């Protein structure tokens, strides 16, 4: 817990160990928003959210009568910031936004969004699954009230992640799971809760996973997150330059000149993404294919699915060159 807290510039008592980003976001929607939102309250999202930062808010809106509002992206695959800030001025209770799109690589200006949201007393929730593993994040300057992320995106084990919450917000939250270790006292008729973060960690802790999470943090700290970000930027620039020369390939995401993450989604001609991924797999190139848990975004892009190449600290230019060769092979197989 202390290692994860240090990694994001937080205090240990502000870090709740959860099963992953999805679990953390559900904890916020169920434990903070659920007891507080009332009919007509606003929840502001964006159309590029992962389902993990969309479905929990739909669920809490259905229970409370809150109203969902959705900020749009531009034709250049960026968040339409003027539109989003105008929606914030309407006074939502919650603003939930991705720190980095897992499809587009788009990085919204969280600090600007948070300042505007706090000006209307809204709570800011950030899906940090893609942001935290690839950028240096300091919660004291980020401006959010909650930030969730996963260990397995950070070269760590599955089944564990973290929810950071400002101390005042964690104190306001109700637990969503009851059991051992999260109580101050238990009577037959009622129970009282212990202090955060243990209030939200019912049951036996994920001991093995936590050790692995700590090791992953230590590894990334040794590399240096500024170096990790520079590596991402250089590879992304190289990849986008190479991909621009592939006939009938359509890129879904901001240009290399933008501050964007190292995920590149694309389609090739009329080849379905699943077929494209299968051919790439045959030449030892691994991509993700499908809607990437972002179906509303796929509809906005006008495609059923995309293939997505993702970069990390172990990725090299040779990997990108292999991707280009694989795409050329796929084009030949389908007669493009």
């Amino acid at each position: 817990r202390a290692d994860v807290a240090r990694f994001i510039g937080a205090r240990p008592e502000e870090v709740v160990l959860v099963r992953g980003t999805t679990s953390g976001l559900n904890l916020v929607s169920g434990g903070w928003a659920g007891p507080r939102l009332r009919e007509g309250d606003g929840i502001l999202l964006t159309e590029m959210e992962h389902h993990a930062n969309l479905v929990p808010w739909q669920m809490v809106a259905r229970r409370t009568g809150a109203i969902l509002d959705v900020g749009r992206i531009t034709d250049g695959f960026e968040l339409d910031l003027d539109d989003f800030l105008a929606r914030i001025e309407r006074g939502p209770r919650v603003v939930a936004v991705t720190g980095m799109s897992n499809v587009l690589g788009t990085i919204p200006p969280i600090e600007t969004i948070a300042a505007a949201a706090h000006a209307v007393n809204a709570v800011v929730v950030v899906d940090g699954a893609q942001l935290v593993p690839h950028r240096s994040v300091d919660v004291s300057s980020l401006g959010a009230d909650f930030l969730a992320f996963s260990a397995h995106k950070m070269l760590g084990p599955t089944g564990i992640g973290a929810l950071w919450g400002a101390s005042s917000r964690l104190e306001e939250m109700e637990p969503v799971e009851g059991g051992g270790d999260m109580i101050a006292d238990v009577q037959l008729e009622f129970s009282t809760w212990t202090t955060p973060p243990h209030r939200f960690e019912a049951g036996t802790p994920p001991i093995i996973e936590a050790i692995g999470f700590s090791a992953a943090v230590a590894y990334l700290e040794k590399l240096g997150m500024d170096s990790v970000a520079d590596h991402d930027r250089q590879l992304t620039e190289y990849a986008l330059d190479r991909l621009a020369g592939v006939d009938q390939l359509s890129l879904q995401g901001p240009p290399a000149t933008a501050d964007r993450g190292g995920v590149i989604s694309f389609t090739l001609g009329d080849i379905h993404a699943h077929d494209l991924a299968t051919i790439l797999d045959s030449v030892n190139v691994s991509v993700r294919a499908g809607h990437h848990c972002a179906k509303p975004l796929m509809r906005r892009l006008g495609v059923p699915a995309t293939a997505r190449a993702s970069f990390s600290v172990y990725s090299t230019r040779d990997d990108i060159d292999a991707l280009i060769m694989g795409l050329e092979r796929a084009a030949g197989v389908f007669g493009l």
Side-chain angles (χ1 to χ4, degrees):
R1 194 190 309 275
D3 290 343
V4 172
R6 183 183 64 250
F7 189 69
I8 58 171
R11 294 178 295 164
E13 59 268 27
E14 297 172 324
V15 174
V16 183
L17 296 178
V18 291
R19 294 191 306 275
T21 305
T22 301
S23 177
L25 294 171
N26 273 275
L27 178 55
V28 177
S29 67
W32 189 90
R36 285 171 176 76
L37 295 186
R38 298 294 180 264
E39 186 171 356
D41 286 343
I43 303 172
L44 178 58
L45 312 167
T46 81
E47 61 184 347
M48 60 182 166
E49 297 306 315
H50 188 284
H51 295 166
N53 203 29
L54 176 58
V55 177
W57 300 111
Q58 293 173 339
M59 294 168 67
V60 78
R62 188 177 302 121
R63 292 196 302 269
T64 63
I67 299 172
L68 295 178
D69 189 19
V70 180
R72 308 302 179 185
I73 62 170
T74 68
D75 291 339
F77 308 102
E78 302 277 11
L79 178 64
D80 187 335
L81 188 58
D82 289 340
D83 169 74
F84 201 68
L85 294 177
R87 293 174 188 271
I88 289 176
E89 290 179 358
R90 300 172 189 170
R93 289 291 305 278
V94 175
V95 176
V97 62
T98 181
M100 179 190 296
S101 168
N102 71 308
V103 176
L104 305 173
T106 302
I107 301 177
I110 299 299
E111 295 89 346
T112 300
I113 291 169
H118 287 156
V120 297
N121 297 316
V123 166
V124 180
V125 184
V126 177
D127 170 0
Q130 301 291 333
L131 180 67
V132 173
H134 296 279
R135 292 288 190 274
S136 178
V137 173
D138 188 330
V139 294
S140 65
S141 59
L142 190 66
D145 296 280
F146 296 101
L147 172 73
F149 52 100
S150 302
H152 74 273
K153 304 287 188 184
M154 302 168 58
L155 313 177
T158 58
I160 191 169
L163 172 68
W164 169 82
S167 294
S168 60
R169 297 303 183 190
L170 292 178
E171 289 286 355
E172 295 171 347
M173 284 176 59
E174 292 291 323
V176 297
E177 292 184 319
D181 202 45
M182 49 75 67
I183 51 86
D185 188 31
V186 175
Q187 305 287 339
L188 286 176
E189 299 82 7
F190 66 90
S191 299
T192 55
W193 318 135
T194 190
T195 56
H198 306 290
R199 178 187 301 174
F200 311 109
E201 297 177 356
T204 304
I207 300 165
I208 295 171
E209 291 86 347
I211 293 169
F213 197 178
S214 180
V217 165
Y219 179 71
L220 288 173
E221 286 181 329
K222 183 177 180 180
L223 293 177
M225 291 309 296
D226 289 340
S227 296
V228 171
D230 286 342
H231 178 74
D232 275 359
R233 291 189 188 98
Q234 292 173 24
L235 273 186
T236 301
E237 182 177 349
Y238 179 73
L240 290 173
D241 181 64
R242 291 295 317 274
L243 289 166
V246 177
D247 290 339
Q248 299 192 50
L249 185 127
S250 296
L251 294 168
Q252 311 285 351
T257 53
D259 182 17
R260 49 111 70 224
V263 293
I264 300 178
S265 292
F266 54 87
T267 56
L268 182 61
D270 58 359
I271 306 174
H272 193 283
H274 292 159
D275 296 326
L276 181 55
T278 298
I279 293 173
L280 291 172
D281 179 66
S282 71
V283 292
N284 298 321
V285 174
S286 176
V287 297
R288 179 77 181 270
H291 54 69
H292 312 297
C293 293
K295 280 191 171 184
L297 178 57
M298 292 295 114
R299 295 187 184 100
R300 166 65 176 83
L301 298 175
V303 296
T306 68
R308 185 189 69 194
S310 306
F311 308 140
S312 188
V313 295
Y314 45 75
S315 304
T316 68
R317 289 192 174 198
D318 288 343
D319 295 327
I320 295 165
D321 294 340
L323 170 63
I324 301 300
M325 292 177 62
L327 291 172
E328 292 171 348
R329 175 183 174 85
V333 169
F334 282 89
L336 298 183

